[in-house]
Amino acid sequence: MELYDKIRILADAAKYDVSCSSSGSNRENKNGGIGNASFYGICHSWSDDGRCISLLKILFTNICIYNCSYCVNRCSNDIERALFTPDELADLTINFYRRNYIEGLFLSSAVYKSPDYTMELLIKTVKKLREDYNFNGYIHLKAIPGADINLIRLAGLYADRMSVNIELPSEKSLKLLAPQKTKESIIKPMSFIHNQLLEKSDSKKLMRYSDKFVPAGQTTQLIIGATPESDRTILKLSENLYKLYSLKRVYYSAYIPVSNGNNISGVTSPPLLREHRLYQADWLLRYYNFTADELLNEKNPNFNISLDPKVDWALKNLSLFPVEVNTADYNTLLRVPGIGVRTAKRIISARKASSLSYDSLKKLGVVLKRAKYFITCNGKYYGGCEIETNKIKNKLLPKSNVLEGQLSIFDSFYKTENNLPIIV
Amino acid sequence: MVNYIFDGTFDGLMTVIYVSYYNHQVPNDILSENSYQKNFLGDDIYISTDINKSNKVQNAIKNKISKEALKNIYYVYLSELESSYMLIYKYVRLGFKIGRKINYFLQNDIVNDVIKLSQRINHEAYKMIELIRFKEIKNGLFYAKIHPDYNVLPLIVPHFAERFQDQYFVIHDVKRNLSAVYDKKSWIITDISPENTLITKEEEDFENLWKIYHKNISIEERKNLRLQRQHMPKKYWDILIEKQ
Ligand code: SF4
């Protein structure tokens, strides 16, 4: 089979994995070799769907012995199949890298023959890159659920980052849609990687040198909308993953109906807006010190689709507002809608020079359209209406023309919402 | 009313600042000789570049203001905007008055302009690091073409020299006709560029493989060309294989 066809088929099969980042690793170029990793990550292109392309994200093969209902590659699906050799893939990576198309490789795979056999193929590929080509660029490897822990350990020595995809937010859904995978086969490698990282950071203190084991940590992915879990269930799960396994990122992937899989029916289009709200909320967990319980509760288990989670939270907690921009501390500023991490820092530093006027806030990059309802500036309030939930909400709700532009997204959201009780 | 004319180099600009400081003479304008047309109204003084004086000014900026300030100044200089020279002059004067804290004065228009402009240059340099595409034009020699709005070439070469230590490369700014040449040890920027940049059959194959990859990694149901253009502005498309 031609290389062209392999790339066409195996890129296509890899596209549903949303993780793409090349950040978190400081790997240096050694001994005049090729490549290094940038801690902040670099994107090199954007695909037609607007998503960043940073790594050569590809499957080693899409020939799978499993039959997960949500997946295009499941064995019962009648599609074109392909398989790389480690040489082909290593060679392709190097050549794309030399041309500055990519930051490195994100290698994942269907389960070919057995989890161990597949893991060994992935290891062969990256070993070749690191040892034969002296490649020091970024490598993200997927840990194949069910693979031997010793193989995972070995893989971790070559990779910058590893991920084990949870895919479904509850054990019940997993049983139903991916019966060959068990919760254990996912959690075990995840906790192993976590423990290994803890161990390495301990031994680093003792020894001057220790092997780098996945220096950029681990991530995972959850599919949104294929099963009936609420936003709250999903966000709580993420919160725990950050706490218990120190995951670097949880990725959310709006479920795209990939064909007539069993047990998933009626999902017609991907719940993109819901995915977007979850990313916003996830951001609030990681950078703004929010907890999942502050954002959602049992009475309101799903996000308001027309307001972003921070505005929504602020409106429900109006008693905490308005805050005075000239005196509020960093953490308080961070909770104001329209003020992000960067602007909060700029406010703190500009305040040292002189007190801030309402006009100067714009210069500092504050999105006043939202912020003005939640702040005072030298004691003066600029919202122009009473500080009252419904009044502010009315001003902040998207106007109808905005809604029209996004109608397709809202549309799909409602459809999926209606279709949620498909699995009981 | 004096105008200072200099040779357009960074050292030249720093020399101007030195001279004006010791002459206690605030310039009406600072112009580079390329764009200068004789003005009959004011006095025009040509300042010849003096590396010693330039170094003194740069050290003074580093010590009395900050390294960050010197970086901002260099970036603003690379904007090549005629107005940038006076802006730099005013920023330095203000910096000598206020010192280390200058960048807190975000409400001051001079400081704000400098920081915003410096960020624009920085942003374009970063875009180039993302979007540059090398082609192998001779066995082992890689060539890339760019035409940035600002003169960011000096800012991006170190990144590639570090990354592609085992690779000969040339990055050619076609707008300014400047080339950065790296020979596996060090790099220089010159106005000599390779004559033949035609590509081989093998190179064409890799370009096609990349195009196929690019097309197939996209999810049809999520198509969003507007978002794509936000990150990959159209003005750079001619250097992007995947957009040809
Ligand atoms: S194991 Fe399941 S999710 Fe993974 S490729 Fe096979 S069918 Fe798809």
Side-chain angles (χ1 to χ4, degrees):
Chain A
M1 185 186 249
E2 288 256 7
L3 201 51
Y4 279 94
D5 292 317
K6 293 192 183 179
I7 292 181
R8 177 176 55 76
I9 296 166
L10 294 170
D12 193 80
K15 68 189 178 190
Y16 299 107
D17 205 308
V18 285
S19 140
C20 70
S21 153
S22 60
S23 62
S25 192
N26 264 333
R27 194 179 287 271
E28 279 170 27
N29 192 354
K30 6 174 226 261
N31 318 325
I34 170 174
N36 55 7
S38 140
F39 190 79
Y40 295 100
I42 298 176
C43 302
H44 287 281
S45 190
W46 281 264
S47 54
D48 290 347
D49 53 29
R51 297 186 308 163
C52 140
I53 300 176
S54 152
L55 305 169
L56 172 60
K57 177 169 68 180
I58 201 151
L59 294 195
F60 192 88
T61 180
N62 64 343
I63 307 174
C64 199
I65 53 172
Y66 287 179
N67 201 24
C68 311
S69 323
Y70 52 81
C71 177
V72 247
N73 302 320
R74 65 182 187 280
C75 59
S76 66
N77 204 14
D78 182 20
I79 51 165
E80 269 183 291
R81 306 278 173 173
L83 167 75
F84 277 116
T85 68
D87 285 358
E88 275 171 343
L89 203 48
D91 194 53
L92 188 69
T93 307
I94 285 292
N95 273 294
F96 277 9
Y97 193 83
R98 286 201 183 285
R99 288 162 177 76
N100 206 42
Y101 300 165
I102 52 167
E103 272 302 281
L105 177 66
F106 173 17
L107 187 53
S108 169
S109 183
V111 183
Y112 179 58
K113 291 190 182 165
S114 75
D116 282 354
Y117 189 82
T118 313
M119 207 62 228
E120 276 168 16
L121 284 171
L122 304 190
I123 292 171
K124 247 187 219 157
T125 310
V126 294
K127 185 170 179 203
K128 183 160 183 93
L129 276 168
R130 291 280 191 236
E131 289 174 1
D132 296 358
Y133 287 106
N134 197 3
F135 175 70
N136 303 300
Y138 199 90
I139 295 179
H140 180 161
L141 273 186
K142 182 75 86 46
I144 305 295
D148 190 286
I149 287 303
N150 284 314
L151 291 173
I152 307 258
R153 174 184 296 132
L154 187 57
L157 293 176
Y158 293 110
D160 290 273
R161 172 168 281 178
M162 286 188 83
S163 57
V164 195
N165 283 358
I166 294 186
E167 309 285 20
L168 300 175
S170 74
E171 203 179 353
K172 195 168 142 204
S173 296
L174 195 68
K175 273 213 180 92
L176 198 63
L177 298 188
Q180 285 132 317
K181 288 182 188 162
T182 58
K183 185 178 159 198
E184 207 216 344
S185 72
I186 295 166
I187 294 302
K188 206 168 137 202
M190 198 176 259
S191 79
F192 172 78
I193 293 171
H194 178 58
N195 288 333
Q196 198 75 5
L197 282 168
L198 289 181
E199 223 173 80
K200 289 285 174 196
S201 68
D202 276 349
S203 64
K204 226 180 249 163
K205 283 173 209 146
L206 300 173
M207 288 177 281
R208 273 168 56 98
Y209 178 81
S210 90
D211 280 333
K212 270 194 179 167
F213 182 87
V214 287
Q218 61 171 332
T219 62
T220 193
Q221 160 168 308
L222 291 169
I223 297 175
I224 306 306
T227 49
E229 289 84 5
S230 68
D231 290 345
R232 181 163 184 266
T233 308
I234 293 166
L235 205 64
K236 291 273 252 185
L237 173 61
S238 302
E239 189 173 53
N240 279 325
L241 291 170
Y242 290 132
K243 262 197 228 140
L244 299 177
Y245 301 113
S246 327
L247 256 68
K248 281 288 186 283
R249 282 288 294 275
V250 175
Y251 289 94
Y252 307 92
S253 168
Y255 177 65
I256 292 167
V258 281
S259 60
N260 49 344
N262 295 336
N263 303 328
I264 308 178
S265 54
V267 180
T268 48
S269 50
L272 293 173
L273 190 60
R274 189 173 171 208
E275 174 197 288
H276 181 60
R277 291 282 177 254
L278 279 164
Y279 271 119
Q280 288 176 317
D282 186 270
W283 197 259
L284 294 179
L285 296 187
R286 286 183 300 136
Y287 296 106
Y288 291 73
N289 305 320
F290 277 91
T291 60
D293 283 335
E294 283 180 286
L295 298 171
L296 295 167
N297 52 40
E298 268 166 48
K299 253 173 55 204
N300 294 304
N302 289 305
F303 285 111
N304 185 335
I305 48 158
S306 46
L307 287 173
D308 82 58
K310 199 178 180 192
V311 172
D312 200 32
W313 172 84
L315 287 174
K316 288 192 183 120
N317 292 276
L318 262 189
S319 58
L320 304 172
F321 296 99
V323 303
E324 170 55 44
V325 279
N326 280 296
T327 52
D329 65 24
Y330 177 71
N331 282 319
T332 310
L333 284 175
L334 266 191
R335 296 202 156 206
V336 176
I339 297 182
V341 170
R342 240 175 80 165
T343 23
K345 284 186 181 149
R346 300 190 89 192
I347 287 174
I348 301 270
S349 92
R351 250 169 26 184
K352 290 182 191 157
S354 65
S355 104
L356 300 174
S357 68
Y358 185 70
D359 281 337
S360 59
L361 289 177
K362 217 179 270 167
K363 270 191 192 167
L364 301 183
V366 178
V367 186
L368 288 165
K369 211 177 84 195
R370 263 172 282 153
K372 68 177 175 190
Y373 303 106
F374 304 98
I375 53 169
T376 57
C377 228
N378 291 319
K380 193 161 181 297
Y381 181 72
Y382 291 84
C385 68
E386 274 167 77
I387 309 180
E388 197 259 310
T389 308
N390 282 328
K391 294 210 164 109
I392 299 178
K393 200 184 228 164
N394 270 338
K395 302 222 172 194
L396 282 173
L397 274 176
K399 301 281 169 286
S400 55
N401 54 346
V402 179
L403 269 168
E404 258 165 49
Q406 294 182 339
L407 209 60
S408 56
I409 299 179
F410 281 92
D411 218 359
S412 64
F413 180 78
Y414 286 122
K415 270 188 217 148
T416 326
E417 269 289 84
N418 292 338
N419 287 329
L420 274 183
I422 45 168
I423 305 160
V424 257
Chain B
M1 290 286 268
V2 51
N3 295 321
Y4 285 124
I5 319 297
F6 72 111
D7 64 1
T9 62
F10 187 64
D11 283 319
L13 182 61
M14 294 296 107
T15 312
V16 168
I17 288 174
Y18 182 96
V19 172
S20 112
Y21 186 77
Y22 281 98
N23 289 353
H24 301 287
Q25 203 172 33
V26 178
N28 170 56
D29 204 353
I30 302 173
L31 303 157
S32 83
E33 60 185 355
N34 321 329
S35 61
Y36 163 67
Q37 279 163 334
K38 196 159 171 39
N39 175 350
F40 294 100
L41 292 175
D43 286 328
D44 297 334
I45 306 178
Y46 186 88
I47 310 284
S48 19
T49 299
D50 180 328
I51 300 288
N52 271 330
K53 289 177 183 161
S54 165
N55 284 341
K56 273 188 193 147
V57 174
Q58 292 186 49
N59 282 331
I61 292 172
K62 249 192 288 184
N63 299 329
K64 298 208 173 103
I65 313 175
S66 64
K67 267 199 197 144
E68 173 80 15
L70 185 59
K71 192 191 111 190
N72 283 337
I73 289 166
Y74 183 57
Y75 280 33
V76 169
Y77 161 78
L78 292 177
S79 75
E80 296 178 328
L81 298 173
E82 277 294 318
S83 60
S84 70
Y85 307 137
M86 270 312 278
L87 180 61
I88 288 172
Y89 178 87
K90 289 179 190 157
Y91 179 70
V92 174
R93 266 180 70 117
L94 192 66
F96 283 147
K97 225 190 296 170
I98 299 173
R100 207 153 281 286
K101 284 196 183 132
I102 184 163
N103 288 341
Y104 291 156
F105 285 71
L106 289 162
Q107 298 185 77
N108 178 297
D109 285 334
I110 298 170
V111 178
N112 206 338
D113 286 354
V114 163
I115 288 178
K116 283 221 176 97
L117 192 52
S118 155
Q119 276 168 359
R120 281 224 306 268
I121 316 306
N122 194 26
H123 179 75
E124 191 176 43
Y126 192 74
K127 274 286 144 201
M128 285 301 106
I129 284 177
E130 292 177 339
L131 301 180
I132 255 191
R133 298 288 182 259
F134 286 98
K135 296 163 184 286
E136 193 168 11
I137 53 168
K138 243 193 275 167
N139 212 352
L141 174 62
F142 287 79
Y143 171 87
K145 183 179 91 173
I146 58 172
H147 47 73
D149 292 342
Y150 307 116
N151 184 14
V152 296
L153 190 57
L155 303 180
I156 66 171
V157 202
H159 169 82
F160 292 107
E162 169 63 31
R163 172 162 291 191
F164 298 128
Q165 285 176 25
D166 67 344
Q167 179 172 326
Y168 295 101
F169 68 76
V170 176
I171 303 171
H172 185 188
D173 181 339
V174 288
K175 201 162 157 187
R176 294 164 186 82
N177 209 16
L178 292 172
S179 289
V181 181
Y182 174 76
D183 67 355
K184 295 198 190 177
K185 280 193 219 72
S186 55
W187 56 272
I188 48 159
I189 293 183
T190 89
D191 51 9
I192 312 166
S193 46
E195 282 151 26
N196 183 3
T197 56
L198 292 176
I199 58 167
T200 58
K201 168 80 182 64
E202 209 199 3
E203 182 59 33
E204 216 180 293
D205 285 345
F206 280 117
E207 294 193 347
N208 286 331
L209 289 174
W210 174 239
K211 279 186 200 163
I212 287 183
Y213 175 76
H214 196 269
K215 186 163 165 262
N216 284 283
I217 201 66
S218 165
I219 298 179
E220 181 62 31
E221 292 88 336
R222 305 181 67 129
K223 198 162 190 165
N224 190 344
L225 294 172
R226 226 188 58 196
L227 187 58
Q228 183 189 42
R229 265 201 309 277
Q230 257 169 38
H231 294 293
M232 279 199 313
K234 248 193 162 136
K235 61 179 173 189
Y236 302 128
W237 281 13
D238 67 313
I239 63 170
L240 292 170
I241 317 281
E242 60 270 31
K243 276 290 161 195
Q244 282 158 17

